[in-house]
Each structure stands twice: as C-alpha cells, then as structure tokens.
C-alpha cells in the first residue's frame, strides 16, 4: 500500500491546497493531510479548527485522512511509514526553499521515502494563506479562493469580509 503525506499550516486551507490534495490522492492508496503548528506564524485558526475543517471537506474522499503533528516532519514521516511527501510548487520562488527542504529531509527520511512535487494549477498559483488573510481582514473578497465552508468560518473571525 502506498501512503503519502501532504503537510502544511493550512491557515486557512485554500482552493490551491484542495487541488493538490485531490490530485495527490489519485496517485497514492492513502493520502494524509498533516496539519502542523508553525511556532513562527501567528495562526488565525487553531490546529483543532484547521483539522475539523479539513476533515469536513474530505469526509467523502475515502483515501484522504487528516492528522496533526508537531516537531520534525521527518520524524512523523519515518514513524508512520510514509512512502512520499507531496509538496505543491506555485512559482519559481517556491523552488529554492523547497529544494533545500527536500534535500535536508532526504538526509533525515528512512530509506526510499521521496519528496514529490506537483505544479499548482495556474488558476491558483498566486494564492497563499497569508495573502488570503490580509485581503479578507481588509474587507476584500476571497470568494472562490478558499472553500465556501472556510469562507463562512473566516466571516466569524473578520467582521468586514465580503
Ligand atoms: N496553493 C496555495 N497556497 C499554497 C500552496 C498551494 N498549492 N502550496 C503552498 N501554499 C502556501 C501556503 O498557504 C503558505 O502560505 P503562507 O506562508 O502565506 O501561510 C505557503 O505557501 C507556505 O506553505 P507551506 O509550504 O505549507 O508552509 P508551511 O510553513 O505551512 O509548512 C512544512 C511547511 C510543514 C512542510 C515545514 O515547515 C516543515 O516541515 N515543518 C516541520 C519542521 C521541520 O521538519 N523542519 C525541517 C524541514 S527540512
């Protein structure tokens, strides 16, 4: 059985993330969406809120599971028998960071664990969670850039959102 991890902060999960998850889930028997607490970022949604939203979004996709973890990604990957870690590449600016992370992880992963990169669909290539939060907090519309359910939850956090 092949098993992949797609990990990130997902604060909030965007339409770009969803695209990667659906495409990744077609490539592996099982895809785990791993929500990580990044101490360097001040989150809008707690890890529990992010996990709940992702579980709801993928409740009808049987080979997608949602989990959370903290600490070193490679420790989580090695302890849970993953074959691959999926990452989305939006633009050339992502490449340098992703290359160094993949090479560092390659030193830490168990034998035969691979980092796999999927090119983000062009219609989502400009989206980032922090840009979504900035636009929404200033009253701009982010409709279509995040799932409707996430938009509703964001409305509870931002009074001005359209
Ligand atoms: N569509 C839309 N947005 C996307 C995207 C896509 N396909 N892919 C990435 N993004 C965005 C995210 O929304 C995020 O935006 P933000 O910075 O505005 O919040 C940004 O790109 C970076 O996302 P991501 O790659 O998920 O970074 P992250 O910080 O959320 O998580 C980890 C990266 C979890 C893989 C990394 O931090 C990690 O491994 N942490 C564990 C500690 C560790 O092991 N460190 C050593 C690594 S070698």
């Amino acid at each position: 059985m092949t098993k992949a991890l797609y990990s990130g902060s997902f604060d909030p999960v965007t339409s770009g993330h969803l695209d990667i998850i659906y495409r990744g889930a077609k490539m592996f028997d099982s895809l785990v969406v791993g929500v990580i607490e990044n101490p360097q970022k001040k989150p809008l949604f707690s890890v529990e809120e992010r996990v709940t939203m992702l579980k709801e979004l993928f409740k009808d996709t049987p080979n997608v599971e949602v989990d959370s973890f903290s600490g070193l990604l490679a420790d989580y990957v090695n302890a849970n028998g993953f074959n691959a870690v999926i990452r989305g590449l939006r633009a050339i600016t992502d490449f340098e960071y992703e290359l160094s992370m993949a090479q560092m992880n390659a030193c830490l992963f168990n034998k035969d664990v691979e980092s796999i990169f999927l090119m983000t669909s062009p219609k989502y290539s400009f989206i980032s969670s922090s840009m979504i939060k900035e636009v929404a907090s200033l009253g701009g519309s982010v409709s279509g850039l995040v799932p409707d359910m996430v938009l509703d939850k964001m409305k509870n956090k931002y009074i001005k959102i359209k």
Side-chain angles (χ1 to χ4, degrees), residues 8-9 16-17 36 38 41 72-73 87 90 120 127 129-130:
S9 305
H17 295 132
I36 190 158
N38 186 339
K41 294 184 181 176
L72 202 60
L73 178 125
R87 302 285 299 159
R90 289 165 299 171
T120 302
I127 302 177
S129 296
S130 44

Side-chain angles (χ1 to χ4, degrees), residues 129-143:
S129 296
S130 44
M131 205 180 278
I132 294 284
K133 286 182 280 194
E134 182 176 341
V135 170
S137 71
L138 296 170
S141 171
V142 292
S143 178

